[in-house]
Amino acid sequence: MSNNDKSRIPKFYKYSVENRLDILRDKGILTQEDYISLREQMHLLSQDDADKMIENVIGIFGLPMGLGLNFLINNKPYIVPMVVEEPSILAAVSSAAKVVRNAGGFQAESDDPILIGQIQLVDVRHPIKVRHAVLQEKQQILNLANSLHPNMVKRGGGAIDLEAMIHQQDRHPGSMVVVHLLVDTRDAMGANLVNSMCEGVASLVEKISGSKVYLRILSNLTDRAMVRAKCEIPTEYLDFNESSGKEVRDGIIRAAEFAVVDPYRASTHNKGIMNGIDPLAIATGNDWRAIEAAAHAYAARTGRYTSLTNWFKNEKGDLVGTIDIPLKVGTVGGSLKSNKAVGIAHRILGIESATELAEIMGAVGLAQNFSALRSLGTEGIQRGHMTLHARSVASTAGAPAELFEQVLERLVESGEIKVWKAKEIIQELQKANQIGQVSTPSEEKADDLSFGYGKIILTGEHSVVHGTHAVAAPITLKMKAKVWDHDKDVRLMIPRWGVEQTLEFGADHKYSIYKSLEMILDHLDLRGKPMNIEVFPEVPRAMGMGGSAALAVAIIRALNKHFKLGLGDDDVRRLSFESENIVHGGASGIDNTVSTYGNLIMFQKGTPPKMDMLHLEESIPIVIGLSGVESMTSKMVKQVREQAGKYPKWYRQIFDQMDELALASKKAIEERNLDELGMIMNMNHGFLNTLGVSSPEVEELVEIARRNGALGAKLTGGGGGGAMIALCDSENIQTKIQKKMHESGFDALIAEIKSTEG
């Protein structure tokens, strides 16, 4: 067989161990010497060898060595040796690798293999002066470090840079200055080399700094040796058990988002990633404990432990998975040679460098994560639809954090996803646990995050951009944000979306969010202020529910709070409108207005815009259906504007009729004439269809809603996908419509229209 076929061995698990070895030899994966060594178990450690490796030896502890198959990484096939005792890991990773292989394989890249050595200076009286002195003599220190290991320098490695950090000391006089020696260790793991370099330059650092050196030791947070791996999988490769590819994709994304926002879930999520990486590290003789420490430290780098992977849907609807993880490994050294099994593993892999091994590890971790999320997502997809709504209900009912998951579980099991049921469960659990009554969050906690409301448009989207009236309502889902000081630069972090970006002022920004943020900071005269901006999104991204406006409002309010700018709601509305113009181009102003004030309003574009608050004695029940297709409002607004420019007479007539419907909807809403409001919504949707802004998925949702008792159903927002809304006259109809949407593979939320939100 050709070399490209080596990593594919169908039904490998069905053969005996002897037959597997025969296959590997026949394929040229094992040399004759390795074949005999494995068959006769000559590769195992002897007691004498073990006694030379560690202290107090009394015997040898065995673990199974197996193979991860089907891997295609950077267009090269690999068979991956893995040492692990947990069943199902090899089968899971091989299955995942086969799926990704069919979709084109993994792409991986890595940084240079840099290890950091730390030299601690303590009780420093003038830290800035000391830091400056050390950095001024950087080259002298690097030269001394490299003179201690000339062979490493000959191989293209050695000490390449120096850094110095200042830390305040609370319990001791003065400050602490920590000097970082950055060492390229090439194919060696490098721990001993870096430690000896730190020891060797310590006296020189003391002399230069005039301060006492204390610890001299490497760091296992190897974030200068990062690996990034990626896979893209079309849905046709994702069918699994009884679940469609689309269901599997959405289930994986939903499960992954849980790990991004919840450290308790992230811990188990990341453990699954290490289920793939650790066995390969052990098989190749690497320090898996150091790799674990680096991975978990990196996952907590923002001060909040989160996922090491990111799963999302691209514009084509394909599932995309990425991993960013520090991986400093070695392929040479005495400790690797002392175990014969390690040499066999290296030869099976066929690797040429430590960075190649690190890239394989990253891909294996991503594959293991895919397999785990696929199992979790597909086993609970239908339950997950119900859980999405149940989380909202439990939150509305005031479930305290310590009981939230218990309330959620019981709520789903009961089948009664209602606020009254959630409150009943909360009372039962509190009584059983003697926790006490549900209390309102403290003002400090409630005020910790700034927010902007998501929204739905009841009537008048698109025509509102051209000067007509529209009616819009806030929803309970919000964008939340907080700001705190940073030592340098402006950093934007949206963990749930995998965003962690330093803002480059004046750059040609690829995404409008960064251009918008730069404008906001300039307007508020905050360009020179270093800060962290963290966003916690609740509004679904690109679903036509006002996410971009809510994001801008939340960030502006967080900046206002942190820097005590004294902005009022009108200021927030005006500035968020400028942001919307950047994001969407020619925005009407309705999204940012609803996001700012949280009111049910009749709106008309202008400077300032016209806003009439609508008053309701009783809320109006609706269902929000999510198409799963991302909606690019700017694209749809541009499309309608271009068509209106070509056919101004006909489009003006359509906009005028939509205006009449919006005006009539205001009266129907305030009089609670739901039948008339439903008719208006249906007619409004007809005009939106004429404008060409609907989509097959939205049309299917509209049909499901109308067929199951909705008084009216229509697209909401920019269109081209996104969301729709269904008007209901009872909770029973809401529940029925939501259930039917779930059965058809869509997400759906039960909501209500009120005069004001909150």
Side-chain angles (χ1 to χ4, degrees), residues 280-298:
L280 177 54
I282 295 169
T284 54
N286 278 280
D287 186 349
W288 59 270
R289 299 160 305 280
I291 291 171
E292 280 270 353
H296 295 300
Y298 187 76

Side-chain angles (χ1 to χ4, degrees), residues 251-263:
I252 287 173
I253 291 171
R254 181 172 297 145
E257 287 176 343
F258 186 6
V260 171
V261 301
D262 188 316

Side-chain angles (χ1 to χ4, degrees), residues 116-265:
I116 296 173
Q118 294 186 294
I119 303 165
Q120 178 194 25
L121 297 169
V122 296
D123 302 336
V124 180
R125 296 291 183 181
H126 303 289
I128 295 176
K129 182 179 178 181
V130 164
R131 179 178 181 275
H132 181 70
V134 169
L135 293 178
Q136 266 206 323
E137 300 300 328
K138 173 168 66 174
Q139 198 56 53
Q140 184 183 354
I141 297 169
L142 293 177
N143 291 343
L144 176 58
N146 285 326
S147 71
L148 302 171
H149 291 277
N151 289 334
M152 178 57 70
V153 176
K154 287 179 183 178
R155 291 196 293 270
I160 61 168
D161 204 356
L162 200 73
E163 300 173 342
M165 271 68 68
I166 298 171
H167 301 287
Q168 297 301 319
Q169 291 181 276
D170 295 331
R171 300 181 181 179
H172 302 282
S175 299
M176 182 192 304
V177 175
V178 179
V179 178
H180 279 187
L181 192 64
L182 274 59
V183 184
D184 185 337
T185 65
R186 295 287 84 194
D187 291 331
M189 282 188 281
N192 292 333
L193 179 147
V194 171
N195 284 339
S196 67
M197 277 189 173
C198 290
E199 290 284 352
V201 302
S203 58
L204 176 58
V205 172
E206 274 193 338
K207 179 181 177 183
I208 292 169
S209 66
S211 302
K212 178 179 175 56
V213 168
Y214 198 55
L215 294 188
R216 293 146 284 188
I217 191 169
L218 85 158
S219 169
N220 286 125
L221 177 50
T222 54
D223 58 0
R224 308 306 170 89
M226 295 294 296
V227 167
R228 292 163 289 278
K230 180 180 182 180
C231 62
E232 297 186 16
I233 313 171
T235 53
E236 57 260 36
Y237 298 119
L238 289 173
D239 292 353
F240 187 67
N241 294 337
E242 297 180 0
S243 300
S244 70
K246 181 181 176 183
E247 287 179 317
V248 173
R249 177 199 66 195
D250 295 344
I252 287 173
I253 291 171
R254 181 172 297 145
E257 287 176 343
F258 186 6
V260 171
V261 301
D262 188 316
Y264 291 92
R265 171 64 197 137

Side-chain angles (χ1 to χ4, degrees), residues 345-357:
H346 280 220
R347 288 187 286 277
I348 289 173
L349 273 170
I351 49 177
E352 298 179 1
S353 67
T355 52
E356 184 181 5
L357 174 57

Side-chain angles (χ1 to χ4, degrees), residues 453-455 479 539 543-551 580 591 595:
Y453 294 98
K455 71 90 183 68
M479 288 288 191
V539 181
M543 281 293 125
M545 297 165 71
S548 62
L551 177 65
E580 282 289 271
D591 286 13
S595 182

Side-chain angles (χ1 to χ4, degrees), residues 27 64 96 106 118 134 195 217 226 232 239 250 263 332 388 402 423 435 443 488 527 547 644 650-651 704 707 716:
K27 281 180 168 284
F106 296 92
Q118 294 186 294
V134 169
N195 284 339
I217 191 169
M226 295 294 296
E232 297 186 16
D239 292 353
D250 295 344
V332 298
L388 180 70
E402 65 271 16
K423 289 181 177 178
I435 292 175
E443 286 188 7
K488 61 177 182 178
R527 176 186 275 257
W650 302 112
Y651 271 73
I704 291 170
R707 193 170 58 239
T716 186

Side-chain angles (χ1 to χ4, degrees), residues 706-723:
R706 292 175 181 171
R707 193 170 58 239
N708 289 281
L711 299 174
K714 63 178 286 291
L715 168 74
T716 186

Side-chain angles (χ1 to χ4, degrees), residues 43 65 281-286 335-347:
H43 65 295
M65 176 186 269
I282 295 169
T284 54
N286 278 280
S335 60
L336 291 145
K337 294 176 182 177
S338 61
N339 192 329
K340 295 176 184 177
V342 169
I344 294 174
H346 280 220
R347 288 187 286 277

